[in-house]
Coordinates of all heavy atoms in Angstrom, one line a residue:
T416 N -55.9 -84.7 23.6 CA -56.2 -86.1 24.0 C -54.8 -86.8 24.3 O -53.9 -86.7 23.5 CB -56.9 -86.8 23.0 OG1 -58.1 -86.2 22.7 CG2 -57.2 -88.2 23.5
Q417 N -54.8 -87.4 25.5 CA -53.6 -88.1 25.9 C -53.6 -89.5 25.2 O -54.6 -90.1 25.2 CB -53.5 -88.2 27.4 CG -53.5 -86.9 28.1 CD -52.2 -86.2 27.9 OE1 -51.1 -86.7 27.7 NE2 -52.3 -84.9 28.0
M418 N -52.4 -90.0 24.8 CA -52.4 -91.3 24.2 C -52.3 -92.4 25.2 O -52.9 -93.5 25.0 CB -51.1 -91.4 23.3 CG -51.0 -92.7 22.5 SD -49.6 -92.9 21.4 CE -48.7 -91.3 21.4
Y419 N -51.6 -92.2 26.3 CA -51.4 -93.2 27.3 C -52.3 -93.1 28.6 O -52.5 -94.1 29.3 CB -49.9 -93.3 27.7 CG -49.0 -93.6 26.6 CD1 -48.0 -92.6 26.2 CD2 -49.0 -94.8 25.9 CE1 -47.2 -92.8 25.2 CE2 -48.2 -95.0 24.8 CZ -47.3 -94.0 24.5 OH -46.4 -94.3 23.4
V420 N -52.6 -91.9 28.9 CA -53.3 -91.6 30.1 C -54.8 -91.4 29.9 O -55.2 -90.6 29.1 CB -52.7 -90.3 30.8 CG1 -53.4 -89.9 32.0 CG2 -51.2 -90.5 31.1
R421 N -55.5 -92.0 30.8 CA -57.0 -91.9 30.8 C -57.4 -90.7 31.6 O -58.1 -89.8 31.2 CB -57.7 -93.1 31.3 CG -59.2 -92.9 31.4 CD -59.9 -94.2 31.7 NE -59.5 -95.1 30.6 CZ -59.8 -96.4 30.5 NH1 -60.5 -96.9 31.5 NH2 -59.4 -97.2 29.6
R422 N -56.9 -90.6 32.8 CA -57.3 -89.5 33.7 C -56.2 -89.2 34.7 O -55.9 -90.0 35.6 CB -58.5 -90.0 34.5 CG -59.1 -89.0 35.5 CD -60.1 -89.6 36.4 NE -59.7 -90.8 37.0 CZ -58.9 -90.9 38.1 NH1 -58.5 -89.8 38.7 NH2 -58.6 -92.0 38.7
P423 N -55.5 -88.1 34.6 CA -54.6 -87.7 35.6 C -55.3 -87.0 36.8 O -56.4 -86.5 36.6 CB -53.6 -86.7 34.9 CG -54.5 -86.1 33.8 CD -55.5 -87.2 33.4
A424 N -54.7 -87.0 38.0 CA -55.3 -86.3 39.1 C -55.2 -84.8 39.0 O -54.4 -84.3 38.2 CB -54.6 -86.8 40.4
G425 N -56.0 -84.1 39.7 CA -56.1 -82.7 39.7 C -54.9 -82.0 40.1 O -53.9 -82.6 40.5
G426 N -55.0 -80.7 40.1 CA -53.8 -79.8 40.5 C -53.4 -79.0 39.3 O -53.9 -79.2 38.1
Q427 N -52.6 -78.0 39.5 CA -52.1 -77.3 38.3 C -50.8 -78.0 37.8 O -49.8 -77.9 38.5 CB -51.7 -75.8 38.8 CG -52.9 -75.0 39.1 CD -52.5 -73.6 39.3 OE1 -51.4 -73.1 39.0 NE2 -53.4 -72.8 39.9
F428 N -50.9 -78.7 36.8 CA -49.8 -79.5 36.3 C -49.8 -79.5 34.7 O -50.8 -79.2 34.1 CB -49.9 -80.9 36.8 CG -51.1 -81.6 36.3 CD1 -51.1 -82.3 35.2 CD2 -52.3 -81.6 37.1 CE1 -52.3 -83.0 34.7 CE2 -53.4 -82.2 36.6 CZ -53.4 -82.9 35.5
L429 N -48.6 -79.9 34.2 CA -48.5 -80.2 32.8 C -48.1 -81.7 32.7 O -47.4 -82.2 33.6 CB -47.3 -79.4 32.2 CG -47.5 -77.9 32.1 CD1 -46.2 -77.3 31.7 CD2 -48.6 -77.5 31.2
L430 N -48.7 -82.3 31.8 CA -48.4 -83.8 31.6 C -48.0 -84.0 30.1 O -48.8 -83.7 29.2 CB -49.7 -84.6 31.9 CG -49.5 -86.1 31.7 CD1 -48.5 -86.6 32.8 CD2 -50.8 -86.8 31.9
G431 N -46.8 -84.4 29.9 CA -46.3 -84.7 28.6 C -46.1 -86.2 28.4 O -45.7 -86.9 29.4
E432 N -46.3 -86.7 27.2 CA -46.1 -88.1 26.9 C -45.1 -88.2 25.7 O -45.2 -87.4 24.8 CB -47.4 -88.7 26.4 CG -48.5 -88.7 27.4 CD -49.8 -89.3 26.9 OE1 -50.1 -89.3 25.6 OE2 -50.6 -89.9 27.7
F433 N -44.2 -89.1 25.8 CA -43.2 -89.2 24.7 C -42.6 -90.6 24.8 O -42.7 -91.4 25.7 CB -42.1 -88.2 24.8 CG -41.4 -88.1 26.1 CD1 -40.1 -88.8 26.2 CD2 -41.9 -87.4 27.2 CE1 -39.4 -88.8 27.5 CE2 -41.2 -87.4 28.4 CZ -40.0 -88.0 28.5
D434 N -42.0 -91.0 23.6 CA -41.3 -92.3 23.5 C -39.8 -92.0 23.2 O -39.5 -91.0 22.5 CB -41.9 -93.1 22.3 CG -43.3 -93.4 22.5 OD1 -43.7 -93.8 23.6 OD2 -44.1 -93.4 21.5
D435 N -38.9 -92.9 23.8 CA -37.5 -92.7 23.5 C -37.1 -93.4 22.2 O -38.0 -94.0 21.5 CB -36.7 -93.1 24.7 CG -36.7 -94.6 25.0 OD1 -37.2 -95.4 24.1 OD2 -36.2 -95.0 26.0
D436 N -35.8 -93.4 21.9 CA -35.3 -94.0 20.7 C -35.4 -95.5 20.7 O -35.3 -96.1 19.6 CB -33.9 -93.6 20.4 CG -33.7 -92.1 20.1 OD1 -34.7 -91.4 19.7 OD2 -32.6 -91.5 20.3
H437 N -35.7 -96.1 21.8 CA -35.8 -97.5 21.9 C -37.2 -98.0 22.0 O -37.5 -99.2 22.3 CB -35.0 -98.0 23.2 CG -33.5 -97.6 23.2 ND1 -32.6 -98.1 22.3 CD2 -32.9 -96.6 23.8 CE1 -31.4 -97.5 22.5 NE2 -31.6 -96.6 23.4
G438 N -38.2 -97.1 21.9 CA -39.6 -97.4 21.9 C -40.2 -97.5 23.3 O -41.4 -97.9 23.4
K439 N -39.5 -97.1 24.3 CA -40.1 -97.0 25.7 C -40.9 -95.8 25.8 O -40.5 -94.7 25.3 CB -39.0 -97.1 26.7 CG -38.3 -98.4 26.7 CD -37.5 -98.7 28.0 CE -36.7 -99.9 28.0 NZ -37.4 -101.1 28.5
S440 N -42.0 -95.9 26.5 CA -42.9 -94.7 26.7 C -42.7 -94.1 28.0 O -42.5 -94.8 29.0 CB -44.4 -95.2 26.5 OG -44.5 -95.8 25.3
Y441 N -42.9 -92.8 28.1 CA -42.7 -92.0 29.3 C -43.7 -91.0 29.5 O -44.3 -90.5 28.5 CB -41.3 -91.3 29.3 CG -40.1 -92.3 29.3 CD1 -39.6 -92.8 28.2 CD2 -39.5 -92.6 30.5 CE1 -38.5 -93.7 28.2 CE2 -38.4 -93.5 30.6 CZ -38.0 -94.0 29.4 OH -36.9 -94.8 29.4
L442 N -43.9 -90.6 30.7 CA -44.8 -89.4 31.1 C -43.9 -88.5 31.9 O -43.1 -88.9 32.7 CB -45.9 -89.8 32.0 CG -46.9 -90.9 31.4 CD1 -47.9 -91.2 32.5 CD2 -47.6 -90.3 30.2
M443 N -44.1 -87.2 31.7 CA -43.4 -86.2 32.5 C -44.5 -85.3 33.1 O -45.3 -84.7 32.4 CB -42.5 -85.3 31.7 CG -41.7 -84.3 32.4 SD -40.5 -85.1 33.5 CE -39.9 -83.7 34.4
L444 N -44.6 -85.4 34.4 CA -45.6 -84.6 35.2 C -44.9 -83.5 35.9 O -43.9 -83.7 36.6 CB -46.3 -85.5 36.2 CG -47.4 -84.9 37.0 CD1 -48.6 -84.7 36.1 CD2 -47.8 -85.9 38.1
V445 N -45.3 -82.2 35.6 CA -44.7 -81.0 36.2 C -45.8 -80.2 37.0 O -46.9 -80.0 36.4 CB -44.1 -80.1 35.1 CG1 -43.5 -78.9 35.7 CG2 -43.0 -80.9 34.4
N446 N -45.4 -79.9 38.2 CA -46.3 -79.0 39.0 C -46.1 -77.6 38.7 O -45.0 -77.0 38.9 CB -46.0 -79.3 40.5 CG -46.9 -78.6 41.4 OD1 -47.8 -77.8 41.0 ND2 -46.7 -78.8 42.7
K447 N -47.1 -76.9 38.1 CA -47.0 -75.5 37.8 C -47.2 -74.6 39.0 O -46.9 -73.4 38.9 CB -48.1 -75.2 36.7 CG -47.8 -75.8 35.4 CD -48.9 -75.6 34.3 CE -49.8 -74.5 34.5 NZ -50.8 -74.3 33.4
D448 N -47.7 -75.1 40.1 CA -47.9 -74.3 41.3 C -46.5 -74.2 42.0 O -45.9 -75.2 42.3 CB -48.9 -75.0 42.2 CG -49.3 -74.2 43.3 OD1 -48.5 -73.4 43.9 OD2 -50.5 -74.3 43.8
L449 N -46.1 -72.9 42.2 CA -44.8 -72.7 42.8 C -44.9 -72.6 44.3 O -43.9 -72.4 45.0 CB -44.2 -71.4 42.2 CG -44.0 -71.4 40.7 CD1 -43.4 -70.1 40.3 CD2 -43.1 -72.6 40.3
N450 N -46.1 -72.8 44.9 CA -46.3 -72.6 46.3 C -46.7 -73.9 47.0 O -46.6 -74.0 48.2 CB -47.2 -71.5 46.6 CG -46.7 -70.2 46.2 OD1 -45.6 -69.8 46.5 ND2 -47.5 -69.5 45.4
N451 N -47.4 -74.8 46.3 CA -48.0 -76.0 46.9 C -47.6 -77.3 46.2 O -47.5 -77.3 45.0 CB -49.5 -75.8 46.8 CG -50.0 -74.6 47.6 OD1 -49.9 -74.5 48.8 ND2 -50.5 -73.6 46.8
S452 N -47.5 -78.3 47.0 CA -47.3 -79.7 46.5 C -48.6 -80.2 46.2 O -49.7 -79.7 46.6 CB -46.6 -80.6 47.5 OG -45.4 -80.1 47.9
F453 N -48.7 -81.3 45.4 CA -49.9 -82.0 45.2 C -49.6 -83.5 45.0 O -48.6 -83.9 44.5 CB -50.8 -81.5 44.0 CG -50.3 -81.8 42.6 CD1 -50.9 -82.9 42.0 CD2 -49.4 -81.1 41.9 CE1 -50.5 -83.3 40.7 CE2 -49.0 -81.4 40.6 CZ -49.6 -82.5 40.0
Q454 N -50.6 -84.3 45.4 CA -50.5 -85.7 45.3 C -51.2 -86.1 43.9 O -52.2 -85.6 43.6 CB -51.2 -86.5 46.4 CG -51.0 -88.0 46.4 CD -51.5 -88.6 47.6 OE1 -52.4 -88.2 48.3 NE2 -50.9 -89.8 47.9
F455 N -50.5 -87.0 43.2 CA -51.1 -87.4 41.9 C -51.5 -88.8 41.8 O -51.0 -89.7 42.6 CB -50.1 -87.0 40.8 CG -48.8 -87.9 40.8 CD1 -48.8 -89.0 40.1 CD2 -47.7 -87.4 41.5 CE1 -47.6 -89.8 40.0 CE2 -46.6 -88.2 41.5 CZ -46.5 -89.3 40.8
S456 N -52.4 -89.1 40.9 CA -52.8 -90.4 40.6 C -53.1 -90.5 39.1 O -53.8 -89.6 38.6 CB -54.1 -90.7 41.4 OG -54.7 -91.9 41.0
I457 N -52.5 -91.4 38.5 CA -52.6 -91.5 37.0 C -53.2 -92.8 36.6 O -52.8 -93.9 37.1 CB -51.2 -91.4 36.3 CG1 -50.7 -90.0 36.6 CG2 -51.3 -91.6 34.8 CD1 -49.3 -89.7 36.1
E458 N -54.3 -92.8 35.8 CA -54.9 -94.0 35.3 C -54.5 -94.1 33.9 O -54.8 -93.3 33.0 CB -56.4 -93.8 35.4 CG -57.2 -95.0 35.0 CD -58.7 -94.8 35.1 OE1 -59.2 -94.0 35.9 OE2 -59.4 -95.6 34.4
L459 N -53.9 -95.2 33.5 CA -53.5 -95.5 32.2 C -54.6 -96.1 31.4 O -55.5 -96.8 31.9 CB -52.3 -96.5 32.2 CG -51.0 -96.0 32.8 CD1 -50.0 -97.2 32.8 CD2 -50.4 -94.8 32.1
R460 N -54.6 -95.8 30.1 CA -55.7 -96.3 29.2 C -55.6 -97.9 29.1 O -56.6 -98.5 29.0 CB -55.5 -95.7 27.8 CG -55.9 -94.3 27.7 CD -55.9 -93.8 26.3 NE -56.2 -92.4 26.2 CZ -57.4 -91.9 26.3 NH1 -58.5 -92.6 26.4 NH2 -57.6 -90.6 26.2
D461 N -54.3 -98.4 29.1 CA -54.1 -99.8 29.0 C -53.8 -100.3 30.4 O -52.7 -100.1 31.0 CB -52.9 -100.1 28.1 CG -52.6 -101.6 28.0 OD1 -53.2 -102.4 28.7 OD2 -51.8 -101.9 27.1
S462 N -54.8 -100.9 31.1 CA -54.7 -101.3 32.5 C -53.7 -102.4 32.7 O -53.3 -102.7 33.8 CB -56.1 -101.8 33.0 OG -56.6 -102.9 32.2
G463 N -53.2 -103.0 31.6 CA -52.2 -104.1 31.7 C -50.8 -103.5 31.8 O -49.9 -104.3 32.1
R464 N -50.7 -102.2 31.7 CA -49.3 -101.6 31.8 C -49.2 -101.0 33.2 O -50.2 -100.8 33.8 CB -49.1 -100.6 30.7 CG -49.2 -101.2 29.3 CD -48.9 -100.2 28.2 NE -47.5 -100.0 28.1 CZ -47.0 -99.2 27.2 NH1 -47.7 -98.5 26.4 NH2 -45.6 -99.1 27.1
K465 N -48.0 -100.7 33.6 CA -47.8 -100.1 34.9 C -46.8 -99.0 34.8 O -46.0 -98.9 33.9 CB -47.3 -101.2 35.9 CG -45.9 -101.7 35.6 CD -45.5 -102.8 36.6 CE -44.1 -103.3 36.2 NZ -43.6 -104.2 37.2
L466 N -46.8 -98.1 35.8 CA -45.9 -97.0 35.8 C -44.7 -97.3 36.7 O -44.8 -97.9 37.8 CB -46.6 -95.7 36.4 CG -47.7 -95.1 35.5 CD1 -48.4 -94.0 36.2 CD2 -47.1 -94.6 34.2
M467 N -43.5 -96.8 36.3 CA -42.3 -96.9 37.1 C -41.8 -95.5 37.2 O -41.7 -94.8 36.2 CB -41.3 -97.8 36.4 CG -41.7 -99.2 36.1 SD -41.8 -100.2 37.5 CE -40.1 -100.5 37.8
R468 N -41.4 -95.1 38.4 CA -40.8 -93.8 38.6 C -39.3 -93.8 38.3 O -38.6 -94.7 38.8 CB -41.0 -93.4 40.1 CG -40.7 -92.0 40.4 CD -41.0 -91.7 41.9 NE -41.1 -90.3 42.0 CZ -42.1 -89.6 42.6 NH1 -43.1 -90.3 43.1 NH2 -42.1 -88.3 42.7
V469 N -38.8 -92.9 37.5 CA -37.4 -92.8 37.2 C -36.7 -91.9 38.2 O -37.1 -90.8 38.4 CB -37.2 -92.2 35.8 CG1 -35.7 -92.1 35.5 CG2 -37.9 -93.1 34.7
S470 N -35.8 -92.5 38.9 CA -35.0 -91.8 40.0 C -34.2 -90.7 39.4 O -33.5 -90.8 38.4 CB -34.1 -92.8 40.7 OG -33.2 -92.0 41.5
P471 N -34.4 -89.4 40.0 CA -33.6 -88.3 39.5 C -32.1 -88.5 39.9 O -31.3 -87.8 39.4 CB -34.3 -87.1 40.2 CG -35.0 -87.6 41.3 CD -35.3 -89.1 41.0
V472 N -31.8 -89.4 40.9 CA -30.5 -89.6 41.3 C -29.7 -90.6 40.5 O -28.6 -90.4 40.0 CB -30.5 -90.0 42.8 CG1 -29.1 -90.3 43.3 CG2 -31.1 -88.9 43.7
T473 N -30.4 -91.8 40.3 CA -29.7 -92.9 39.6 C -30.1 -93.0 38.2 O -29.4 -93.6 37.4 CB -30.0 -94.2 40.3 OG1 -31.4 -94.5 40.1 CG2 -29.7 -94.2 41.8
G474 N -31.2 -92.4 37.8 CA -31.7 -92.6 36.4 C -32.4 -93.9 36.2 O -32.8 -94.2 35.0
K475 N -32.5 -94.8 37.2 CA -33.1 -96.1 37.1 C -34.6 -96.0 37.4 O -35.0 -95.3 38.3 CB -32.4 -97.1 37.9 CG -30.9 -97.3 37.5 CD -30.2 -98.3 38.3 CE -28.8 -98.4 37.8 NZ -28.1 -99.6 38.0
A476 N -35.3 -96.9 36.7 CA -36.8 -97.0 37.0 C -37.0 -97.8 38.3 O -36.3 -98.8 38.5 CB -37.5 -97.6 35.8
E477 N -37.9 -97.3 39.1 CA -38.2 -97.9 40.4 C -39.7 -98.1 40.5 O -40.4 -97.4 39.9 CB -37.7 -97.1 41.6 CG -36.2 -96.7 41.5 CD -35.8 -95.6 42.5 OE1 -36.7 -94.9 43.0 OE2 -34.6 -95.4 42.7
A478 N -40.1 -99.1 41.3 CA -41.5 -99.4 41.5 C -42.2 -98.2 42.1 O -41.6 -97.5 42.9 CB -41.7 -100.6 42.3
M479 N -43.4 -97.9 41.7 CA -44.1 -96.8 42.2 C -44.6 -97.1 43.6 O -45.0 -98.2 43.9 CB -45.4 -96.5 41.4 CG -45.1 -96.0 40.0 SD -44.6 -94.3 40.0 CE -46.1 -93.5 40.4
D480 N -44.5 -96.1 44.5 CA -44.9 -96.2 45.9 C -46.1 -95.2 46.0 O -45.9 -94.0 46.0 CB -43.8 -95.8 46.9 CG -44.3 -95.8 48.3 OD1 -45.5 -96.1 48.6 OD2 -43.4 -95.5 49.2
P481 N -47.4 -95.7 46.1 CA -48.5 -94.8 46.2 C -48.4 -93.8 47.3 O -48.9 -92.7 47.1 CB -49.7 -95.8 46.4 CG -49.2 -97.1 45.9 CD -47.7 -97.1 46.2
A482 N -47.7 -94.1 48.3 CA -47.6 -93.1 49.4 C -46.6 -92.0 49.1 O -46.6 -90.9 49.7 CB -47.1 -93.8 50.7
A483 N -45.8 -92.1 48.0 CA -44.8 -91.2 47.6 C -45.2 -90.4 46.3 O -44.3 -89.9 45.7 CB -43.5 -91.8 47.5
N484 N -46.5 -90.5 46.0 CA -46.9 -89.8 44.7 C -47.2 -88.4 44.9 O -48.3 -87.9 44.6 CB -48.1 -90.6 44.1 CG -47.7 -91.9 43.6 OD1 -46.5 -92.2 43.4 ND2 -48.7 -92.7 43.3
W485 N -46.2 -87.6 45.3 CA -46.3 -86.2 45.5 C -45.3 -85.5 44.6 O -44.2 -86.0 44.4 CB -46.0 -85.8 47.0 CG -47.0 -86.2 47.9 CD1 -47.2 -87.5 48.5 CD2 -48.1 -85.5 48.4 NE1 -48.3 -87.5 49.3 CE2 -48.9 -86.2 49.3 CE3 -48.6 -84.1 48.1 CZ2 -50.1 -85.8 49.9 CZ3 -49.7 -83.7 48.7 CH2 -50.4 -84.5 49.6
V486 N -45.7 -84.3 44.1 CA -44.8 -83.5 43.3 C -44.7 -82.1 44.1 O -45.7 -81.5 44.4 CB -45.3 -83.2 41.9 CG1 -44.4 -82.4 41.1 CG2 -45.5 -84.6 41.2
G487 N -43.5 -81.7 44.4 CA -43.3 -80.5 45.1 C -43.5 -79.3 44.3 O -43.7 -79.4 43.1
P488 N -43.6 -78.1 44.9 CA -43.8 -76.9 44.2 C -42.8 -76.7 43.1 O -41.6 -76.7 43.3 CB -43.7 -75.8 45.3 CG -43.9 -76.5 46.6 CD -43.4 -77.9 46.3
G489 N -43.3 -76.5 41.8 CA -42.4 -76.3 40.7 C -41.6 -77.5 40.3 O -40.8 -77.4 39.4
G490 N -41.9 -78.6 40.9 CA -41.1 -79.9 40.6 C -41.8 -80.7 39.6 O -42.8 -80.4 39.0
G491 N -41.1 -81.8 39.3 CA -41.5 -82.7 38.2 C -41.2 -84.1 38.6 O -40.3 -84.4 39.4
V492 N -41.8 -85.1 37.9 CA -41.5 -86.5 38.0 C -41.5 -87.1 36.7 O -42.4 -86.8 35.8 CB -42.4 -87.1 39.0 CG1 -43.9 -87.1 38.6 CG2 -42.1 -88.6 39.3
L493 N -40.5 -88.0 36.4 CA -40.5 -88.7 35.1 C -40.9 -90.1 35.4 O -40.4 -90.8 36.4 CB -39.0 -88.7 34.6 CG -38.8 -89.5 33.3 CD1 -39.7 -88.9 32.2 CD2 -37.3 -89.5 32.9
L494 N -41.9 -90.6 34.7 CA -42.5 -91.9 34.8 C -42.3 -92.7 33.5 O -42.6 -92.2 32.5 CB -44.0 -91.8 35.2 CG -44.3 -91.0 36.4 CD1 -45.8 -90.7 36.5 CD2 -43.8 -91.6 37.7
R495 N -41.9 -94.0 33.7 CA -41.8 -94.9 32.5 C -43.0 -95.8 32.5 O -43.4 -96.3 33.6 CB -40.5 -95.7 32.6 CG -40.3 -96.5 31.3 CD -39.0 -97.3 31.3 NE -39.2 -98.4 32.1 CZ -38.1 -99.1 32.7 NH1 -36.9 -98.7 32.5 NH2 -38.4 -100.1 33.4
I496 N -43.6 -96.0 31.4 CA -44.7 -96.9 31.2 C -44.2 -98.3 30.8 O -43.6 -98.4 29.7 CB -45.7 -96.4 30.2 CG1 -46.2 -95.0 30.6 CG2 -46.9 -97.3 30.1 CD1 -47.1 -94.3 29.6
D497 N -44.3 -99.3 31.6 CA -43.9 -100.7 31.3 C -45.1 -101.5 30.9 O -46.2 -101.3 31.2 CB -43.2 -101.3 32.4 CG -41.8 -100.8 32.6 OD1 -41.3 -100.1 31.7 OD2 -41.2 -101.1 33.7

């Protein structure tokens, strides 16, 4: 049972939930399919919270763009829960 997520979108994926040392909550979504991308949609249990995508380049949290919710083959995305 996931603590933060009500329902993740389909696909072959792993979804991990964790908190950092400062109490911030994160999700790590990894695409297990090495040949196909998939578009994801995540519904949080607490509808008052929102997801921020952590940039792999800058390490800064950025607003989610629903049009960019794709994970490449074998790729992953780090999301912060605000």
